[in-house]
Amino acid sequence: MNGAASIPVIVGVGECLDRPQHPRDGLEPMDLMLRAARAAEDDAGAALLAQVDSLDVVNLVSWPYRDAPGLLAECLGIRPRRTVYGAIGGESPLRFVQQAAQRIGSGQGRVALICGGEAQHTVNRALQLGIELPWTAPADDRALAVHGRDLVHPLAARLGCAQPLSIYPFYETASTAHWQLPPRTAQRESGQLWSRYSLQAANNPNAWLREPHSAEDIVTVAPFNRMVAWPYTKLMVANPQVNQGAALLLTSLEIARNAGVPERNLVYPWGSAYAREPRDFLARDHYWESHAQNAVLKACSELAGGGFEAMELYSCFPCVPKMARRALHLGEVYEPTVTGGLTFFGAPLNNYMTHATCAMVRHLRGSPPHARGLLYGQGEFVTKHHGLVLARRPYPGHPALAHSSVQHLADSHRGLVPQIEIEPDGTGQLEAFTLLYQRDGTLSHGVAMVRIRPGTRTLARVAPDDAWTVAALTDPDISPVGRTGQLRPTGLGHSEWSLVI
């Protein structure tokens, strides 16, 4: 194949936002995906759904179906040769786009549909009210679910560090110290960054929260903005309590033109890069950067031939785009999103980057012909990284459609990984930390990542009534990382750590 027949294009994007007055009136995820798919066809301006031969469905969490791709195909009245249900991961929609582009470019596919939808807001409201939803019978999610405790070291699970909320702060506190920033300055950067996400969400009709917030609003602890995991407030973390669906249609340039898709609708995938960190977050050499993130962003920058006119930097927690900013060598003022971010646009679990792709396509359609956009997504606990480059015009020269692993580059920068000690006694130097808070705003306990001696580390509990240590950990002017503390075995499968006075 050559010419227009081998050039993949995104031709249609569609989204659906549902805000029911009562849970019984809410759309189930299948309906959200159906509406988004039909909106994508309308956006393309051509009858392409009937020609879909490949269907990818992003992993569903709020309402798992027994066969989501099969049911969606049946509801759409299509019979694709290939149907795939995705694995868990916030980066997975970008992988679907790149793989669809590869199949189209090689002649193995003609028209691809990628869909995802979540209705966590309605599901949770129904649970609160004791209402049974009149939706399609769900699958047994116990057989399908992957829980955080399955992905982390038992010591981490024992101390309550088995969810993103309790793991990403390690990267935040470690990177703040590595960049030699006072915590107050790092927090100000997070607030300013999140304020820009909120401004973009305010202008996105598909966003869940459309009220702009100032940097001060975001970092200030208040009744509506409690501290959840130090140093993150509620307005600084992903918000999965949404009802949103999104869909993408891809085909070849030849088919698009023959179907009458307007040229102004066409956006071109140039290529992608991916890499991952060890799944167990304690099996990593340090926490002030991600080698996989660095490798992916470097490869995407090289593919684009320089900078980007638009970006979507994954935003589950501030440390992610803050590290990305340094990896991309961006200045202090930059635009990190075309969508609105996982706090304000909403975090439909694994499906945010499908929405982000919709937003990027719309943005590029209104941009100059040379414009290039970066979509960067992440999955699990700073674990899976994927970058995708889109552009307003075809890739110059030979199509750059390789689904490029840059794992070798990430691994080449990885240092020695410390051994884990479960219940050590003695002294240890603080490497990273967080404090975990209850829903009423009171401190539950702290978790300290501690280097014991060269080549060893542990996670240890910080007692909530250890006022001296808690005060030092929350000092806005001096990072406590690097300070020495005392480890005391508890007999419960972990040690406690307190600063040496």
Side-chain angles (χ1 to χ4, degrees):
M1 292 181 65
N2 52 59
S6 64
I7 298 176
V9 290
I10 300 175
V11 295
V13 297
E15 294 178 88
C16 180
L17 179 70
D18 182 39
R19 288 185 174 276
Q21 291 294 315
H22 192 276
R24 286 199 187 94
D25 301 323
L27 299 175
E28 64 177 282
M30 189 59 58
D31 288 325
L32 294 169
M33 290 191 288
L34 280 168
R35 294 188 182 203
R38 289 168 180 149
E41 183 179 59
D42 291 342
D43 178 65
L48 290 171
L49 283 178
Q51 301 181 52
V52 166
D53 57 6
S54 173
L55 171 61
D56 289 291
V57 173
V58 178
N59 189 279
L60 294 153
V61 177
S62 59
W63 197 261
Y65 296 92
R66 291 185 175 87
D67 177 13
L71 180 57
L72 180 58
E74 180 184 345
C75 293
L76 287 170
I78 61 176
R79 303 183 70 177
R81 290 183 289 113
R82 175 189 173 277
T83 59
V84 170
Y85 183 59
I88 291 173
E91 86 299 341
S92 60
L94 300 182
R95 183 172 63 253
F96 286 158
V97 173
Q98 180 60 25
Q99 291 174 346
Q102 281 182 273
R103 289 191 301 273
I104 290 164
S106 64
Q108 297 176 39
R110 290 174 54 81
V111 180
L113 174 62
I114 298 165
C115 280
E118 294 288 358
Q120 194 67 58
H121 183 267
T122 294
V123 168
N124 285 353
R125 286 289 295 136
L127 287 172
Q128 291 168 4
L129 297 172
I131 293 169
E132 185 173 340
L133 292 169
W135 292 357
T136 306
D140 181 357
D141 63 350
R142 292 170 299 178
L144 299 172
V146 176
H147 301 287
R149 297 179 68 90
D150 303 327
L151 308 180
V152 302
H153 193 285
L155 176 60
R158 202 172 296 133
L159 289 170
C161 293
Q163 296 298 327
L165 182 62
S166 54
I167 295 172
Y168 279 78
F170 292 128
Y171 280 86
E172 181 73 36
T173 53
S175 61
T176 293
H178 178 78
W179 298 329
Q180 298 183 333
L181 298 176
R184 189 191 308 276
T185 302
Q187 196 77 333
R188 185 184 307 121
E189 179 183 349
S190 296
Q192 292 168 345
L193 181 60
W194 248 234
S195 180
R196 292 200 287 276
Y197 279 100
S198 79
L199 289 172
Q200 189 63 46
N203 293 308
N204 187 338
N206 298 297
W208 189 256
L209 301 177
R210 298 189 62 194
E211 178 186 355
H213 290 270
S214 69
E216 185 176 356
D217 289 340
I218 289 161
V219 302
T220 301
V221 176
F224 68 89
N225 189 36
R226 62 186 176 87
M227 183 63 68
V228 290
W230 185 268
Y232 295 147
T233 65
K234 188 175 180 181
L235 283 177
M236 298 166 77
V237 303
N239 170 27
Q241 307 304 315
V242 298
N243 303 326
Q244 295 168 318
L248 308 167
L249 272 171
L250 293 87
T251 189
S252 70
L253 179 58
E254 180 179 70
I255 292 173
R257 286 173 172 168
N258 289 341
V261 178
E263 291 283 337
R264 65 179 180 275
N265 279 16
L266 305 180
V267 170
Y268 299 83
W270 276 16
S272 76
Y274 68 93
R276 62 185 302 153
E277 299 289 344
R279 200 170 205 184
D280 174 6
F281 77 92
L282 287 180
R284 301 174 189 172
D285 57 348
H286 59 251
Y287 300 89
W288 48 264
E289 66 178 344
S290 161
H291 302 301
Q293 182 191 61
N294 292 345
V296 163
L297 294 176
K298 181 177 188 292
C300 287
S301 295
E302 291 173 351
L303 175 62
F308 301 93
E309 284 67 40
M311 294 183 295
E312 184 66 45
L313 301 180
Y314 204 70
S315 53
C316 50
F317 300 92
C319 63
V320 177
K322 287 164 71 172
M323 292 190 300
R325 174 202 147 195
R326 273 93 176 164
L328 290 166
H329 307 292
L330 301 175
E332 292 186 12
V333 179
Y334 63 102
E335 186 54 59
T337 181
V338 293
T339 312
L342 281 85
T343 300
F344 308 105
F345 175 87
L349 301 159
N350 300 300
N351 201 43
Y352 177 80
M353 291 309 295
T354 313
H355 291 274
T357 305
C358 291
M360 182 64 76
V361 166
R362 294 190 187 102
H363 181 90
L364 290 173
R365 285 172 177 171
S367 300
H370 68 272
R372 298 146 300 172
L374 169 67
L375 292 164
Y376 164 67
Q378 196 177 106
E380 295 182 7
F381 311 131
V382 200
T383 306
K384 300 188 287 184
H385 303 256
H386 200 118
L388 176 69
V389 179
L390 301 182
R392 192 70 188 85
R393 56 187 172 84
Y395 186 77
H398 187 73
L401 291 174
H403 189 53
S404 175
S405 170
V406 289
Q407 192 65 50
H408 63 289
L409 180 60
D411 292 342
S412 71
H413 288 87
R414 206 174 307 283
L416 176 69
V417 176
Q419 296 287 323
I420 301 299
E421 289 198 23
I422 302 300
E423 200 170 351
D425 190 2
T427 60
Q429 189 176 49
L430 188 65
E431 182 177 10
F433 71 96
T434 188
L435 300 171
L436 305 179
Y437 292 80
Q438 301 181 65
R439 294 188 67 85
D440 64 2
T442 59
L443 176 61
S444 170
H445 65 282
V447 184
M449 185 180 291
V450 179
R451 289 292 188 108
I452 308 164
R453 60 185 68 86
T456 61
R457 73 159 55 108
T458 193
L459 281 186
R461 184 177 183 273
V462 175
D465 58 356
D466 183 351
W468 171 266
T469 300
V470 170
L473 294 179
T474 57
D475 188 326
D477 297 311
I478 303 173
S479 169
V481 170
R483 294 185 65 175
T484 298
Q486 184 69 41
L487 288 160
R488 300 179 180 84
T490 64
L492 301 173
H494 63 80
S495 294
E496 284 204 348
W497 183 84
S498 60
L499 277 171
V500 174
I501 299 177

